[in-house]
Amino acid sequence: MRLRIAEITVLSPGIRKFTLEPLAGLLPAAGAGAHLVFDIPGATRVHKNAYSLIGGPQARTQYEIIVRRVEPSRGGSAWLHEHARIGDILEAKTPQNLFPLAHLAKKHLLLSAGIGITPFLAFARVMRTPFEWHHCSRAEDSAAFAALLPPGPQVTLHTSRNTLNLAAVLGTQPLGTHLYVCGPELFNETVQTMARALGWPESKIHTESFASAAGGAPFIVHLARSGQRLEVAADQTLLEAIEAAGIAAPYLCRGGACGACELPLLQGTPEHRDHVLSPEQRAANKSLMVCVSRARTPDLVLDF
Amino acid sequence: MNKSRPIYAPFQFDPSGARHLLVTDQPDPPADLNTNVQTLTARTHTADAILAFLPPHLATQTTGLRLYAIGSEAFVWDVNAIALAAGMGAGEVHLTRAGPLIRRVYCTHCQTMADDVATTITQCPGCGATLEVRDHFSRHHRAFMGVQVDAEAPGEIPAPEGFRS
């Protein structure tokens, strides 16, 4: 679907809010936690970046996203910060929700850091269950986030590493609490590791990360069915390399969370970066998630 | 294989939990039980006393608890319902079937529940119908379905047998 940039708001030097409107009619309702994948023009190729919608399901006349300029940017967030203008039209896929609220929860515990605030802004609009939200921010972004966070005693903004006592927060939640984690990879891992150590079951830990598609060493991928040999550049994902060759591969989240882009592996050893495959599945060496995973061997051969 | 029939894993301590509570309608907990597990057994508590204890107790508990229920199907599913109402879910509650092969039976004609039924043919205490106890277990009713056995051929009643599972 096509969306026109209706408004650009500078929230901090590195963070901008984009308001997007449909060219005609109403937008599809997107549940709290949903994201959009955009085609963003780049110098050499189109970037596909995923951004959470912050408006909740009532937002039918416009979508809002918040974009941090990633340093170093692979192109998507830099284009949005430097080149996007009001009136520009962006191509996007229909919203997908891979990060929904658990409806049976008695309480929601939201832990976010940095730009990970975005899905929870949508959560907060639909919240009918008690919740507790801790957001962590670098000092230079704290004013921007303070203006976005809903008011109330259940929301706390932490601008120093020392004020959020994770063990105390995770260790004192009533039965029936669901935990949602959204932030940089290290933050997500730290919170989840602590939660597991305190006995949280996997069924109550929910996470989303769009940051894991970052690059790595270049490698070669061979597509066995079409006989193609593709180079995956250091700042490119395997999925992007396949798409750059004009081949449509399956995908949804582009963040290693949904499992839609799993492709069978014939040769080589992947560097798995997804959140889908179990340790047993990784050990079987039969498939990989091409949106985030890379190669440990110089070549990979895919049955695709 | 009857798909409505829950499959129970043998009792196993779940090391992912931070605190542990085990309740059973049997006299003894499993042998070699981890000493961190708080236990309530039939030696000190009736099943009804355990079921009355749980709701207010769980309301005071924090995430990280594992609850183990061991006993008759009726007992473990009653415990499960209380745990769900308290907000516990997958991975937090472990049910193990133990003790004599008795069933709670739900009369599909008058909706009366009969506990501790030991044979495949039983009289409904509500409407008096002679019921065949099916292997169909309803998680909603937390009971096995009992259906009048001679509805189509009045008077044709097979000999009662004990349950095999």
Side-chain angles (χ1 to χ4, degrees), chain A residues 277-286:
Chain A
L277 295 177
S278 66
E280 293 76 25
Q281 290 171 312
R282 291 180 179 203
N285 210 42
K286 295 268 196 242

Side-chain angles (χ1 to χ4, degrees), chain B residues 105-107 110 112-115 117 122-131:
Chain B
V105 176
Y106 172 84
C107 173
C110 74
T112 298
M113 294 280 191
D115 265 316
V117 173
T122 188
Q123 202 89 23
C124 172
C127 64
T130 305
L131 303 176

Side-chain angles (χ1 to χ4, degrees), chain A residues 286-299:
Chain A
K286 295 268 196 242
S287 70
L288 76 164
M289 302 300 156
V290 298
C291 68
V292 291
S293 297
R294 302 187 69 86
R296 288 195 192 286
T297 44
D299 297 63

Side-chain angles (χ1 to χ4, degrees), chain A:
Chain A
M1 61 195 213
R2 285 150 65 80
L3 299 168
R4 183 189 296 113
I5 299 177
E7 204 178 327
I8 302 174
T9 314
V10 178
L11 303 179
S12 86
I15 302 176
R16 291 180 182 214
K17 183 171 83 172
F18 293 82
T19 305
L20 306 153
E21 59 188 17
L23 303 191
L26 285 178
L27 294 161
H35 69 268
L36 269 185
V37 176
F38 291 95
D39 286 350
I40 297 172
T44 53
R45 59 193 167 85
V46 170
H47 299 275
K48 290 186 185 293
N49 286 28
Y51 295 102
S52 295
L53 299 172
I54 67 171
Q58 303 306 318
R60 302 291 306 279
T61 55
Q62 52 182 224
Y63 288 149
E64 290 178 310
I65 59 168
I66 297 178
V67 180
R68 173 194 287 288
R69 193 190 198 294
V70 180
E71 301 288 355
S73 171
R74 299 186 312 121
S77 70
W79 187 89
L80 283 169
H81 271 257
E82 289 164 13
H83 299 292
R85 296 288 175 264
I86 290 170
D88 285 354
I89 290 170
L90 291 175
E91 185 68 35
K93 291 192 75 167
T94 310
Q96 298 282 342
N97 195 355
L98 303 173
F99 199 37
L101 280 164
H103 289 290
L104 290 177
K106 301 218 174 272
K107 177 182 175 181
H108 302 292
L109 175 63
L110 316 180
L111 300 180
S112 55
I115 202 66
I117 191 174
T118 52
F120 297 165
L121 291 172
F123 280 7
R125 291 176 203 270
V126 299
M127 216 51 111
R128 288 192 183 81
T129 310
F131 73 103
E132 178 178 340
W133 182 0
H134 297 271
H135 181 67
C136 302
S137 162
R138 295 190 289 210
E140 62 264 35
D141 293 329
S142 63
F145 289 135
L148 291 169
L149 288 168
Q154 65 272 53
V155 183
T156 311
L157 176 62
H158 301 269
T159 52
S160 143
R161 281 175 193 280
N162 304 321
T163 61
L164 174 58
N165 184 341
L166 262 187
V169 169
L170 291 169
T172 55
Q173 296 300 325
L175 288 179
T177 308
H178 280 247
L179 168 66
Y180 307 82
V181 192
C182 193
E185 201 70 2
L186 181 62
F187 176 82
N188 294 349
E189 277 177 30
T190 304
V191 172
Q192 290 180 79
T193 303
M194 176 75 77
R196 290 188 186 108
L198 292 169
W200 284 73
E202 295 300 322
S203 61
K204 288 182 172 165
I205 303 176
H206 313 278
T207 186
E208 184 163 70
S209 165
F210 295 134
S212 50
F219 60 99
I220 306 291
V221 62
H222 303 271
L223 305 182
R225 293 195 196 177
S226 55
Q228 299 219 45
R229 174 187 183 280
L230 308 176
E231 295 180 12
V232 183
D235 67 342
Q236 191 180 31
T237 68
L238 177 45
L239 176 58
E240 288 167 350
I242 294 172
E243 289 170 339
I247 301 165
Y251 72 87
L252 277 181
C253 76
R254 303 182 83 90
C258 74
C261 69
E262 180 174 12
L263 288 183
L265 177 73
L266 296 174
Q267 271 179 50
T269 307
E271 180 189 330
H272 295 285
R273 295 184 178 184
D274 61 278
H275 306 285
V276 178
L277 295 177
S278 66
E280 293 76 25
Q281 290 171 312
R282 291 180 179 203
N285 210 42
K286 295 268 196 242
S287 70
L288 76 164
M289 302 300 156
V290 298
C291 68
V292 291
S293 297
R294 302 187 69 86
R296 288 195 192 286
T297 44
D299 297 63
L300 292 180
V301 182
L302 303 183
D303 185 10
F304 184 66

Side-chain angles (χ1 to χ4, degrees), chain B residues 139-164:
Chain B
R139 285 166 211 234
H140 175 70
H141 293 294
R142 311 197 292 273
F144 288 86
M145 296 293 104
V147 182
Q148 184 168 350
V149 66
D150 58 347
E152 288 178 16
E156 252 180 54
I157 296 172
E161 294 174 22
F163 297 113
R164 295 200 186 88

